[in-house]
Amino acid sequence: MEEQTQSPKRRRLVLVPCPYQGHITPMLQLGTFLHNNGGFSITIAHTRFNSPDPSNYPFFQFLYLDDGIPKHEAIPVDLIAVLLDLNVNCRASFEDQMRRLIGGGGGGAGEEVVAGVIYDEVMYFCEEILSDLKVRSFILRTTCAAASLARMALVRLNDEGYFPLKECMLQNPAPELHPLRFKDLPISLTTGFTKYPTLVKGMYNLETPIKAEAIIWNTMEWLEESIVAQIKSKSTTVPLFFIGPLHRIASARTSVLNEDFNCLQWLDEQANGSVVYVAIGSIASLGEKELGEMAWGLANSQQPFLWVVQPGAVRGSKWIEALPDGFREAVGGRGCVVKWAPQKEVLAHRAVGGFWSHCGWNSSMESLSEGVPMLCSPCFGDQKVNARYLSHVWRVGLQLENGLERGEIENGIKRLMDEEQGREIRDRAKHFKEKIEAHVKVEEDQFSSRTHLKDLVSLLSSF
Ligand code: UDX
């Protein structure tokens, strides 16, 4: 009798990113890794708003969620409101799409099964729908663990009566969150704590038990060992995977905006380690006055610079019309301003010696991975936590403590780029680059991202 060989199950994973660049990027990188290394078929369930071009990802299937976000709001005026809206608006189309997807496969040998859905922590509306449909869920957290811990603590601090924050409290240590001060907490000091609790409670399951099979984190356990230990002690039953930095795990072009590659040629003409790269991520915005302070800080530092100003990032301007009179003449060929850069290539360029950054988590890990020291000026949210850790715990950056003021900027750039003054920071940044390289390549120990990735693929393959 002929023996029947059962063909292995084909597994599909559905990935639900939050539709902003800093969230889209790690999700697409994770999808690329799981496709290339676990053999999973990947569906990206994306909002119509801000979608990456599917033709750039022929190996992914795309399906669309109705989001109700106006296209012109690429840089949101009220981010928290948009995120809350997404959690309402996307529900119906997500449920509909999921029903169709799981209805299509029988799960028998050789057939395709939906092994699970990995959703961005911000898109927490998915959980209830998946639970009803009996589909396994996994959460992707795109911030560092310290930022998550700080966000989880906000509700407690609010209950203890600390908000709205009083000006005189800002420099005080935040209780149980060493080394964070109140000013480093991931909330807006101006708008206070009104809509935020709903978002934080949803993202961190503060009022409902976690139903997800696992939580995946785009950070490194070895980098945040003590924070991770605290988080583990709070969520004993759910497996946690620390698999960052994802851009070093899977190389995928993930930019929603067109990158200006000409700036790499400009960098080719600059001396080694001489250029300050300046970028504030994808959703922060500036007033005209702040733009002017940045411009004069850069001009007065006398250092060459490559500066990204995203169209619409200066409030009330299309692009850089509001640059101060005399600035262009003052900097001449020493400065290059672009709308959007190929950031990872820029940071890897031999000419770049420092990164003046808003300290978004992707940007922070991209800088650490290339051993580039940072000048930290966080704009909002988790960036403030990241900046504190970069400057005071990992000590690879200098923080601008008083907002954007030209004198402080000039001094910060000079200190960071000066051969003598910046040496220790530069040496530590190089050390991080080497450590990251080692931990993404091999299973150094149980804290290595490579070890976590192997365990994650085994878990996903078991369903
Ligand atoms: C935000 C938060 O700030 C971040 O901490 C959170 O984890 C995700 O949401 P964003 O402000 O956009 O993200 O910053 P960041 O996390 O640094 O992500 C920006 C991404 O855009 C980076 O991957 C960076 O390489 C890319 N980028 C930025 C470009 O490709 N070109 C540019 O010119 C600027």
Side-chain angles (χ1 to χ4, degrees):
M1 203 174 75
E2 215 179 291
E3 213 174 65
Q4 290 258 313
T5 48
Q6 288 222 325
S7 48
K9 262 199 273 188
R10 283 182 294 126
R11 293 182 177 80
R12 180 167 291 278
L13 291 168
V14 180
L15 274 47
V16 189
C18 165
Y20 289 103
Q21 185 69 69
H23 294 258
I24 295 169
T25 292
M27 191 63 96
L28 292 181
Q29 287 161 342
L30 177 60
T32 305
F33 172 81
L34 292 171
H35 176 73
N36 293 343
N37 296 273
F40 296 95
S41 305
I42 303 289
T43 295
I44 307 290
H46 209 284
T47 55
R48 292 190 188 279
F49 169 79
N50 233 6
S51 171
D53 181 352
S55 66
N56 292 333
Y57 310 93
F59 40 89
F60 292 163
Q61 181 193 77
F62 275 69
L63 53 83
Y64 285 99
L65 307 178
D66 297 324
D67 50 74
I69 306 180
K71 209 174 165 215
H72 63 266
E73 276 237 356
I75 298 179
V77 179
D78 184 345
L79 179 63
I80 307 289
V82 177
L83 300 180
L84 290 173
D85 283 351
L86 277 174
N87 276 284
V88 177
N89 298 348
C90 296
R91 292 183 71 97
S93 49
F94 179 66
E95 180 168 355
D96 190 41
Q97 300 276 18
M98 282 309 299
R99 279 190 191 283
R100 266 188 250 175
L101 204 61
I102 53 177
E111 282 189 57
E112 188 175 87
V113 290
V114 176
V117 172
I118 304 176
Y119 67 88
D120 187 294
E121 60 182 2
V122 172
M123 306 293 268
Y124 54 85
F125 73 90
C126 294
E127 189 60 67
E128 199 185 327
I129 296 166
L130 296 171
S131 166
D132 288 349
L133 296 176
K134 304 207 171 2
V135 175
R136 287 183 186 84
S137 66
F138 304 83
I139 301 170
L140 175 66
R141 300 211 190 283
T142 62
T143 59
C144 68
S148 297
L149 199 68
R151 280 189 183 147
M152 290 184 227
L154 292 177
V155 176
R156 166 177 60 82
L157 294 173
N158 189 47
D159 292 346
E160 289 168 11
Y162 285 106
F163 304 128
L165 275 175
K166 290 189 191 69
E167 186 82 27
C168 62
M169 294 283 290
L170 293 180
Q171 299 294 339
N172 293 0
E176 295 174 42
L177 289 173
H178 178 79
L180 301 183
R181 303 156 296 182
F182 277 100
K183 72 178 276 197
D184 305 314
L185 292 179
I187 53 164
S188 160
L189 303 177
T190 49
T191 57
F193 202 62
T194 47
K195 298 178 207 133
Y196 208 48
T198 317
L199 188 69
V200 170
K201 284 175 189 170
M203 282 166 68
Y204 296 103
N205 296 81
L206 296 185
E207 289 178 342
T208 49
I210 297 181
K211 291 186 185 142
E213 300 284 336
I215 300 176
I216 306 162
W217 235 293
N218 188 18
T219 186
M220 299 79 101
E221 184 165 13
W222 58 265
L223 181 69
E224 299 195 82
E225 220 179 312
S226 65
I227 301 286
V228 168
Q230 288 181 61
I231 288 175
K232 280 186 172 169
S233 72
K234 288 179 204 280
S235 40
T236 42
T237 53
V238 186
L240 307 175
F241 297 98
F242 299 90
I243 60 167
L246 271 164
H247 75 282
R248 294 301 312 274
I249 302 295
S251 60
R253 292 228 79 86
T254 58
S255 188
V256 180
L257 296 172
N258 287 329
E259 297 148 296
D260 182 345
F261 286 90
N262 291 327
C263 65
L264 297 176
Q265 282 159 23
W266 180 85
L267 284 175
D268 288 343
E269 289 157 19
Q270 312 303 318
N272 285 354
S274 65
V275 174
V276 187
Y277 170 58
V278 190
I280 60 164
S282 61
I283 45 177
S285 59
L286 299 166
E288 277 188 24
K289 182 166 183 295
E290 291 169 301
L291 182 82
E293 293 300 307
M294 286 180 82
W296 285 122
L298 283 167
N300 299 340
S301 76
Q302 303 300 327
Q303 207 70 35
F305 62 86
L306 169 60
W307 186 6
V308 177
V309 185
Q310 193 188 344
V314 182
R315 290 187 288 277
S317 294
K318 282 211 163 95
W319 189 36
I320 49 173
E321 311 85 270
L323 275 176
D325 291 342
F327 168 72
R328 285 184 179 81
E329 295 74 14
V331 297
R334 185 162 60 75
C336 175
V337 183
V338 294
K339 292 180 174 165
W340 195 249
Q343 181 163 300
K344 286 182 276 299
E345 282 88 341
V346 166
L347 288 168
H349 198 285
R350 51 143 196 92
V352 172
F355 183 11
W356 175 13
S357 170
H358 73 312
C359 304
W361 187 233
N362 294 287
S363 296
S364 304
M365 286 193 296
E366 289 159 14
S367 206
L368 281 174
S369 301
E370 294 302 340
V372 177
M374 296 171 79
L375 189 61
C376 305
S377 53
C379 299
F380 57 79
D382 64 315
Q383 299 157 16
K384 297 192 280 178
V385 178
N386 303 341
R388 183 70 174 164
Y389 272 78
L390 287 161
S391 57
H392 281 78
V393 179
W394 306 319
R395 297 192 299 144
V396 292
L398 299 172
Q399 183 162 356
L400 297 177
E401 293 284 357
N402 302 301
L404 296 171
E405 190 279 317
R406 66 185 73 182
E408 196 182 346
I409 294 168
E410 178 189 340
N411 281 339
I413 294 175
K414 284 182 172 159
R415 277 177 60 205
L416 190 74
M417 302 300 281
D418 182 81
E419 206 176 321
E420 280 312 309
Q421 291 188 76
R423 188 186 303 280
E424 282 186 15
I425 288 189
R426 243 188 331 272
D427 287 349
R428 274 192 292 272
K430 285 208 183 85
H431 170 70
F432 274 106
K433 176 181 170 157
E434 285 157 18
K435 253 190 120 166
I436 289 173
E437 234 153 58
H439 279 268
V440 294
K441 270 201 197 119
V442 287
E443 295 159 32
E444 288 255 309
D445 51 39
Q446 85 265 31
F447 298 132
S448 274
S449 300
R450 195 46 70 178
T451 310
H452 281 283
L453 282 162
K454 193 176 122 237
D455 295 345
L456 175 63
V457 170
S458 314
L459 178 72
L460 292 170
S461 305
S462 68
F463 300 128

